[in-house]
Amino acid sequence: MSMTSPIIETNESYLKKVEKVHKQNRIKSLLKGLLFLLPSIILFGVFVFYPLFRTIYLSFFLTDAKGATTVFVGWEHYVNMFTDPIFLKSIKNTFLFVIYTVPVTVIISLFLAVIANEKLKGIGFFRTIFSSTMGVSVAAASVFWLYLFNPTMGLLNEFLQMFELDPIGWLTDPKWALISVAVTTIWMNVGFTFLILLGGLQSIDSSLYESADIEGSSYFYKLRRITIPLLSPTLFFVITVSIINSFQTFGQIDILTQGGPANETNLIVYSIYREAFVNYQFGSASAQAVVLFIIILIMTAIQFKVGERRVHYQ
Amino acid sequence: MTLSLGKKITFYILLIISALLLAGPMLMAIVMSFMTNQDILSGSLPTALTFDNYIAAFEKFPLMKFLLNSFIVSTVIMLGQLILASLAAYAFVFMEFKGRDLLFFIFIGTMMVPFEASVIPNFHIIRDLNWIDTYPGLTVPFFATAFGTFLLRQNFKQIPKELREASLIEGIGDFKFFLTVVLPVAKSSLITLGAYGFLTSWNMYLWPLLATTNDSVRTVQIGLKQLQTQEQLNDWGMIMAGAVTVIIPTLILLFLGQKRLQKGLTEGAIK
Amino acid sequence: MSQVELINISKSYDKQKDVLDGINLTIEEGEFFVLVGPSGSGKSTLLRMIAGLEDITGGFLKIGGHTVNHLPPKDRNLSMVFQNYALYPHLTVEQNILFGLKARKVDKQEQQKRLKDAAEMLGLTDLLKRKPRELSGGQRQRVALGRSVVSHAPLCLMDEPLSNLDAKLRANMRVEIRRLQKRLGLTMIYVTHDQVEAMTMGDRIMVLNDGKIQQVGKPITLYNEPENLFVATFIGSPKMNLADAAFSEDGRFLIIENNIKIAVDSALFTNIPRNRKLKIGIRAEHLFPGMTKKENIHNVEVVNVEQLGNETMIAFEVGSELWTAKWTGQWNIQYSQRIPIQILPEYLLFFDAESGKLIQSAQEGKRQEVVSV
């Protein structure tokens, strides 16, 4: 029956046709793929990539109050920035803030995740409580703590009074302000970090614990030898996310301290905000933003490099 | 694993103390929101329960309008994220074309650009579009999400490739397959991402602060800040009533979806 | 018009080494054709190329006389059953079966008629409202078959459809698929790694290894006259016993593994070159019990005995090779016992040790190839 049709398969023309169809298919699938991605690509382009390059561009200019560039100043903003004690202080405080918040958040969350991973009656209730701060917005959390830190009515100072200690100006004393903001931040971030770590714990194969039980290992031995190593990818993830989040802190500061006292809590994002939207210095604010971007880029890169080596992947 | 009674008690004590400490600030706020101003100022325990603070917050303040704005903004962002992320994730999982992996790499790369670092040009863009004090200005910049795309991609990957192949033989196009097979099958991860998107949008602070200049579309977070700055000196009961109102929707969402969120976010975190 | 023709088909990825090379094959209308080979042999790739799920790198594919290299899967008028069944988990059995028909906009009444027929044929009538996860493995398999049946496509492709089922169910489904194919007159191309499946189901079998056709033929032909060592060992269970062999200088003896000496009538083996290295092969059922016989008896030490009830498998060493004999009935033999075994030269197959090609198949085996009824 195949003989009825002319033997086209040896024809060059058919081969060409097949090649053409393949090419068309490739183009078609490329276009279709791009069509699915197009909305995301456009929005990323407009709201991520263009602003990124625009920020870099702006950092070399002086601008008017509307943000239009006026005078090209080259590296001047950067040079000024690194001689400006206020900016240097904000950089220093930002790093301090990361050091205050990240380890404590992760340790508390890990502790909560470990105790909430036991199979006990009513454990679901505790898990819900522990993750609840994830649902608390930065504005609400700041308001809660604003009251707790209140020098006269606040609960914290009332506790101190109970033990006959001197009250502390939590948000007004330069020694305490950054710590107070850090405490608020830790409280806010524990919910999310806890939830992720609990998920990590639950994904550990329970037969590992069962075989350790048969070998008669102690609770802490299991924690050290099974839980922590197998949790390391999750730990690695939450540490990275926490660091990046800490660098991006803004809301707490805006409500609790407005950067004060004496710029002690003027962290980098707040500093950018003030420079741009209070002082209308978009050029120098952009230069600060570039610094923030680079810091976060480096932090992520380091995290990945270090993490890759230390992390125990299953 | 069964625990001895002693261990059980130890765990319960630890759990209860931790829960009290962690929930403390929230509990305090809830209690205060029902206290009279006199009780608060005198620092005593509540002597009477009252809804006055809530009534005051809603009457003196356009709190209802702020709540509605937040609800609209969060819902729109959530839907936008779901649509864009699921489309993109579909392309990354089920379609093969040149440059796909490079594009995925670029998508992931956007996670490294903190929004705070590009906020200045973003503000100018919205202003030049005349989107200040509009819903689009508050929502559109957040539609595209690398995290959401990544999360859904992980999930779509678990759908057997054979499903797509079977549908190819039956003559079903990509978009139809996406709508009638992938979305229903991946329903639970869409709900996870939706809940997460709503939660983060509801709690957004910096952008609504910049992109709103009046009460017309202002979200409840900024409203709360206003309430706090205007009333700071005396009326803590009313401020707390406002703060509690703000967190109720997200807390409900979290209580309902805690298990799912945890599973979904962990899957997104660890491959 | 569902004859499938493969003309010099090849496949390679990224200009690398060919995964498939020089595949020439014609599959007749209404034929049950089995592609069998070890994993990585390229059999699934070949099937997917016929389906249109993979591009064809070289050569031509004709279905029903038309070259279809350029056509997408949906225009090739075929159906396919996958190893994991590829059922849509969120749809009921009915929706799963009708999914393709809806996409092709088949008339509603026609849809229902086909659904009813297929459900009756496959015993799915009571399961139509269930979701796949509420079904057993065998039931899912039937749903996948149902999807294929309702499509009314004359060509059906199956990719290891039974490998996720347990042994008993598999045996049942083998019969069912076979009956279905005959009843509907389908042209079937069936991929499996299981030679038993291939032997029991195929009208013809193609053995594939390393991207190359080893042999194409009827199951019995492959069994009796394997074209090379690969087919000889791949087809049949237990696998064919093999050993190095050489003729004695005077040609009166065949020496196996420098160990067993068999007297041969040289007239039988005139075609076999004397100067080349040889491999001989013999099927397990052709190693007869030697208790009551005299000629060509060799005593061997038993290293393992398997009692299957209706037959007995006896393993013993021949030089470096482990051979198995299959004796009908029940034999009381112990480990390490020495037993006599009859090795008749007319049951031996000869292969070229270097190329692995068949030189001569068993004289006796050929004669009794098919018993006509």
Side-chain angles (χ1 to χ4, degrees):
Chain A
M1 64 184 102
S2 62
M3 290 301 117
T4 53
S5 62
I7 312 171
I8 46 162
E9 69 267 20
T10 48
N11 273 352
E12 283 286 304
S13 67
Y14 181 74
L15 279 179
K16 275 201 184 123
K17 184 178 156 199
V18 169
E19 193 44 49
K20 216 173 113 189
V21 169
H22 280 181
K23 209 169 169 187
Q24 276 172 351
N25 285 344
R26 271 199 299 274
I27 292 171
K28 225 199 262 170
S29 60
L30 176 68
L31 287 180
K32 242 194 289 177
L34 289 180
L35 204 64
F36 274 75
L37 294 173
L38 202 61
S40 293
I41 291 175
I42 290 176
L43 290 187
F44 276 141
V46 175
F47 295 110
V48 177
F49 290 110
Y50 167 73
L52 182 64
F53 292 111
R54 179 77 186 165
T55 304
I56 296 169
Y57 178 77
L58 280 178
S59 72
F60 296 109
F61 285 90
L62 285 178
T63 63
D64 61 19
K66 291 199 144 182
T69 54
T70 50
V71 184
F72 178 77
V73 293
W75 294 96
E76 203 180 301
H77 289 313
Y78 292 93
V79 174
N80 289 345
M81 215 161 58
F82 286 104
T83 51
D84 175 10
I86 295 177
F87 179 73
L88 289 178
K89 194 170 187 181
S90 86
I91 290 283
K92 189 192 102 189
N93 285 338
T94 306
F95 276 98
L96 263 183
F97 183 75
V98 170
I99 292 165
Y100 288 166
T101 53
V102 175
V104 181
T105 307
V106 173
I107 288 167
I108 291 178
S109 307
L110 182 61
F111 169 76
L112 295 177
V114 168
I115 62 172
N117 194 32
E118 296 294 333
K119 290 196 183 82
L120 294 168
K121 241 192 197 140
I123 200 72
F125 170 75
F126 289 104
R127 287 178 186 168
T128 308
I129 296 289
F130 293 165
S131 59
S132 64
T133 65
M134 187 182 164
V136 178
S137 69
V138 60
S142 304
V143 166
F144 298 165
W145 285 88
L146 195 62
Y147 179 77
L148 284 166
F149 289 136
N150 188 295
T152 51
M153 295 184 291
L155 283 183
L156 291 179
N157 276 352
E158 277 188 25
F159 279 128
L160 291 179
Q161 255 174 347
M162 260 168 34
F163 297 102
E164 305 199 340
L165 292 164
D166 287 335
I168 293 172
W170 295 102
L171 297 171
T172 47
D173 184 340
K175 271 198 310 220
W176 286 97
L178 192 62
I179 292 172
S180 303
V181 177
V183 169
T184 311
T185 309
I186 292 165
W187 182 77
M188 281 172 53
N189 290 346
V190 158
F192 174 79
T193 317
F194 161 79
L195 205 61
I196 300 287
L197 286 176
L198 182 65
L201 284 180
Q202 287 176 342
S203 67
I204 297 176
D205 187 355
S206 65
S207 64
L208 291 173
Y209 291 106
E210 280 155 14
S211 80
D213 281 339
I214 291 166
E215 289 161 8
S217 321
S218 76
Y219 180 81
F220 287 100
Y221 186 83
K222 281 185 283 182
L223 193 65
R224 212 155 41 93
R225 287 302 160 98
I226 301 174
T227 311
I228 304 292
L230 289 180
L231 196 60
S232 52
T234 322
L235 273 172
F236 165 63
F237 172 78
V238 295
I239 291 171
T240 314
V241 170
S242 299
I243 290 178
I244 293 174
N245 278 343
S246 286
F247 273 105
Q248 289 165 296
T249 302
F250 173 78
Q252 304 90 302
I253 297 176
D254 189 47
I255 292 179
L256 290 175
T257 62
Q258 285 87 46
N263 287 312
E264 274 305 322
T265 59
N266 189 13
L267 303 189
I268 186 157
V269 174
Y270 196 75
S271 166
I272 295 169
Y273 164 77
R274 259 211 318 220
E275 194 74 359
F277 299 105
V278 178
N279 301 335
Y280 298 105
Q281 299 295 322
F282 292 111
S284 54
S286 293
Q288 294 189 9
V290 170
V291 171
L292 170 67
F293 172 65
I294 290 170
I295 290 174
I296 288 190
L297 203 66
I298 292 172
M299 295 308 287
T300 353
I302 290 176
Q303 272 294 314
F304 270 104
K305 268 270 171 283
V306 175
E308 225 169 274
R309 231 177 300 135
R310 293 245 184 92
V311 169
H312 177 281
Y313 285 102
Q314 275 161 298
Chain B
M1 253 193 308
T2 47
L3 294 169
S4 66
L5 191 65
K7 268 190 183 161
K8 263 188 189 169
I9 292 171
T10 321
F11 272 115
Y12 274 119
I13 292 173
L14 288 173
L15 284 165
I16 290 167
I17 294 175
S18 312
L20 282 176
L21 283 175
L22 211 66
M26 233 180 305
L27 284 176
M28 174 205 75
I30 293 168
V31 171
M32 279 174 72
S33 70
F34 291 110
M35 281 164 75
T36 61
N37 224 16
Q38 261 172 331
D39 284 346
I40 295 174
L41 287 175
S42 62
S44 74
L45 288 173
T47 54
L49 277 181
T50 167
F51 281 97
D52 289 353
N53 292 325
Y54 286 92
I55 295 165
F58 277 93
E59 277 180 355
K60 284 196 199 167
F61 236 74
L63 200 56
M64 201 61 213
K65 179 152 187 57
F66 292 157
L67 280 170
L68 189 69
N69 286 340
S70 269
F71 188 78
I72 292 169
V73 166
S74 305
T75 308
V76 171
I77 292 181
M78 175 185 84
L79 292 177
Q81 288 188 343
L82 283 175
I83 293 168
L84 265 65
S86 59
L87 281 171
Y90 179 85
F92 286 131
V93 174
F94 288 101
M95 298 170 103
E96 270 175 43
F97 52 90
K98 229 177 157 184
R100 186 188 70 175
D101 294 344
L102 177 73
L103 271 171
F104 182 67
F105 187 71
I106 292 173
F107 267 55
I108 294 300
T110 62
M111 286 209 255
M112 292 223 205
V113 184
F115 181 72
E116 287 77 1
S118 57
V119 75
I120 297 166
N122 269 310
F123 175 75
H124 290 152
I125 291 168
I126 296 300
R127 186 198 57 198
D128 295 344
L129 287 168
N130 278 328
W131 277 4
I132 298 287
D133 292 321
T134 65
Y135 289 122
L138 283 175
T139 54
V140 176
F142 303 98
F143 282 179
T145 136
F147 171 78
T149 308
F150 187 70
L151 187 113
L152 293 184
R153 175 178 169 266
Q154 296 300 100
N155 216 277
F156 289 0
K157 270 171 134 181
Q158 290 166 13
I159 298 173
K161 275 256 189 302
E162 285 85 355
L163 287 191
R164 178 68 193 120
E165 290 173 351
S167 73
L168 271 178
I169 288 171
E170 286 166 344
I172 287 153
D174 275 300
F175 195 66
K176 184 158 187 217
F177 182 72
F178 169 72
L179 280 183
T180 58
V181 178
V182 173
L183 291 187
V185 170
K187 197 172 65 191
S188 78
S189 64
L190 292 173
I191 293 174
T192 308
L193 179 64
Y196 185 75
F198 189 92
L199 202 88
T200 46
S201 311
W202 184 272
N203 291 344
M204 235 172 9
Y205 186 82
L206 174 58
W207 186 247
L209 183 70
L210 295 174
T212 59
T213 58
N214 59 41
D215 290 349
S216 63
V217 298
R218 182 162 287 161
T219 64
V220 77
Q221 307 297 337
I222 311 308
L224 183 61
K225 181 196 149 125
Q226 274 187 332
L227 183 68
Q228 174 261 322
T229 35
Q230 286 172 22
E231 300 289 335
Q232 191 169 11
L233 287 177
N234 36 41
D235 210 346
W236 276 103
M238 190 178 95
I239 297 172
M240 288 306 178
V244 170
T245 311
V246 167
I247 64 172
I248 282 173
T250 41
L251 283 185
I252 291 173
L253 196 64
L254 198 68
F255 292 162
L256 291 180
Q258 180 227 341
K259 268 204 187 122
R260 215 168 222 177
L261 265 178
Q262 174 199 322
K263 203 170 149 272
L265 295 179
T266 319
E267 270 168 17
I270 340 158
K271 285 183 260 189
Chain C
M1 289 286 277
S2 53
Q3 176 206 46
V4 179
E5 216 178 321
L6 282 69
I7 301 157
N8 214 9
I9 292 274
S10 67
K11 175 75 183 175
S12 58
Y13 294 102
D14 305 327
K15 309 221 158 56
Q16 296 285 304
K17 186 179 154 279
D18 287 349
V19 189
L20 284 166
D21 190 18
I23 305 289
N24 284 293
L25 184 67
T26 306
I27 296 164
E28 301 300 335
E29 193 176 337
E31 188 176 22
F32 198 118
F33 192 87
V34 178
L35 298 177
V36 67
S39 59
S41 59
K43 55 190 190 302
S44 284
T45 310
L46 187 57
L47 191 76
R48 292 163 56 80
M49 284 159 81
I50 297 173
L53 298 170
E54 302 257 3
D55 280 345
I56 295 168
T57 313
F60 299 93
L61 170 67
K62 289 170 128 193
I63 296 177
H66 300 284
T67 314
V68 295
N69 288 39
H70 63 288
L71 289 180
K74 69 180 163 82
D75 296 334
R76 296 188 182 194
N77 200 12
L78 45 79
S79 64
M80 185 160 173
V81 176
F82 294 86
Q83 182 176 359
N84 64 6
Y85 318 138
L87 301 183
Y88 304 111
H90 62 298
L91 299 180
T92 63
V93 169
E94 179 177 339
Q95 290 166 324
N96 259 293
I97 292 177
L98 293 179
F99 198 73
L101 297 186
K102 283 195 178 131
R104 290 188 193 277
K105 304 217 161 58
V106 173
D107 172 68
K108 277 265 157 58
Q109 273 185 323
E110 174 70 13
Q111 282 185 21
Q112 286 305 319
K113 187 180 158 291
R114 289 193 197 178
L115 172 71
K116 197 167 153 269
D117 288 350
E120 270 168 19
M121 202 184 298
L122 294 160
L124 291 170
T125 314
D126 297 331
L127 304 173
L128 289 177
K129 299 294 171 211
R130 297 220 195 146
K131 294 266 176 76
R133 69 178 131 75
E134 300 160 332
L135 302 178
S136 70
Q139 290 167 336
R140 286 180 206 178
Q141 172 70 69
R142 276 170 225 268
V143 179
L145 289 176
R147 257 190 345 200
S148 203
V149 169
V150 295
S151 76
H152 283 195
L155 174 61
C156 179
L157 311 179
M158 293 198 177
D159 191 0
E160 308 240 12
L162 303 184
S163 57
N164 287 356
L165 300 178
D166 63 53
K168 208 172 150 194
L169 207 50
R170 211 180 301 164
N172 283 337
M173 288 308 292
R174 283 209 300 257
V175 180
E176 275 197 46
I177 292 178
R178 185 65 213 198
R179 281 176 58 188
L180 197 68
Q181 178 261 340
K182 287 286 170 244
R183 194 164 150 194
L184 300 173
L186 294 170
T187 306
M188 177 77 78
I189 306 179
Y190 186 103
V191 161
T192 178
H193 65 274
D194 179 353
Q195 59 90 19
V196 177
E197 240 168 79
M199 293 289 286
T200 51
M201 298 177 83
D203 291 325
R204 279 195 307 151
I205 300 175
M206 174 172 114
V207 181
L208 201 64
N209 186 39
D210 233 0
K212 291 190 179 63
I213 296 182
Q214 303 296 313
Q215 189 170 0
V216 182
K218 290 183 178 157
I220 291 299
T221 315
L222 263 60
Y223 190 80
N224 290 336
E225 294 168 70
E227 272 174 24
N228 55 41
L229 286 169
F230 180 82
V231 179
T233 50
F234 192 78
I235 298 288
S237 172
K239 72 184 186 70
M240 184 185 281
N241 299 304
L242 294 177
D244 290 326
F247 283 101
S248 64
E249 274 175 36
D250 56 8
R252 288 174 49 221
F253 292 99
L254 184 67
I255 300 152
I256 300 169
E257 290 275 324
N258 292 325
N259 194 326
I260 293 177
K261 213 169 167 189
I262 299 177
V264 291
D265 175 3
S266 50
L268 267 176
F269 303 112
T270 43
N271 303 333
I272 297 167
R274 303 287 143 128
N275 53 354
R276 250 189 281 172
K277 280 194 178 172
L278 296 174
K279 278 245 186 219
I280 56 111
I282 184 163
R283 290 284 176 196
E285 63 270 27
H286 295 151
L287 290 165
F288 299 109
M291 280 77 178
T292 57
K293 295 174 183 135
K294 289 199 194 85
E295 19 149 18
N296 284 313
I297 301 297
H298 304 276
N299 283 302
V300 295
E301 190 185 320
V302 175
V303 296
N304 189 37
V305 182
E306 290 173 21
Q307 297 285 354
L308 301 180
N310 58 345
E311 47 197 24
T312 308
M313 308 281 228
I314 302 135
F316 56 91
E317 279 173 348
V318 174
S320 59
E321 302 283 343
L322 189 68
W323 279 22
T324 306
K326 182 156 81 176
W327 293 357
T328 34
Q330 300 171 350
W331 296 79
N332 186 16
I333 296 169
Q334 304 301 322
Y335 171 78
S336 86
Q337 195 179 332
R338 287 190 78 80
I339 55 160
I341 287 207
Q342 186 184 41
I343 305 173
L344 293 173
E346 51 267 46
Y347 287 102
L348 292 178
L349 290 83
F350 289 83
F351 298 92
D352 184 319
E354 243 122 71
S355 68
K357 288 255 182 327
L358 180 73
I359 301 170
Q360 183 175 319
S361 64
Q363 303 290 316
E364 201 56 36
K366 228 183 210 168
R367 207 171 301 152
Q368 46 172 240
E369 183 176 309
V370 176
V371 183
S372 330
V373 183

